Amino acid sequence: MTAMDFRFAVNVSPKPGILDPQGRAVEGSRGHQGSEGVSCVRVGRRIEVTVAAADEDAARAIVERLAAEFLSNPLIEAYVVEAVGAASSTRSGVPA
């Protein structure tokens, strides 16, 4: 069986209403940097991952599970999974 590599990004950020100290710090320093007019800053993180799977739907399901169970805290964080690019290569079905 041949698997293809699919690349995704998981963007994790604090849920609305959750205190974001890093975002507040950025907002607080904006005046010192000449960045007037900037507000509602939320700081999160981006995780990029490549998954070998039979198709994009199967790969996305794996990434969605990773995001929900390991890459985010569902109590205080939200996440969005986005495809970064098309299949980058083809592999044989032999595990790496």
Side-chain angles (χ1 to χ4, degrees):
M1 179 176 167
T2 302
M4 298 176 74
D5 286 347
F6 296 90
R7 190 134 181 86
F8 293 91
V10 179
N11 298 302
V12 181
S13 60
K15 286 183 174 180
I18 298 295
L19 181 63
D20 181 3
Q22 287 180 298
R24 293 258 177 148
V26 171
E27 276 188 50
S29 66
R30 73 186 196 283
H32 305 291
Q33 303 298 322
S35 303
E36 296 300 324
V38 175
S39 63
C40 301
V41 177
R42 305 294 280 174
V43 175
R45 62 190 178 281
R46 178 181 173 99
I47 302 104
E48 293 190 7
V49 60
T50 300
V51 177
D55 58 46
E56 186 173 357
D57 289 339
R60 181 178 290 275
I62 292 167
V63 175
E64 289 280 349
R65 182 173 169 216
L66 282 172
E69 295 179 8
F70 301 108
L71 302 177
S72 68
N73 179 340
L75 297 176
I76 61 170
E77 295 175 317
Y79 67 86
V80 174
V81 174
E82 66 178 82
V84 174
S88 60
S89 66
T90 302
R91 296 186 195 191
S92 66
V94 179

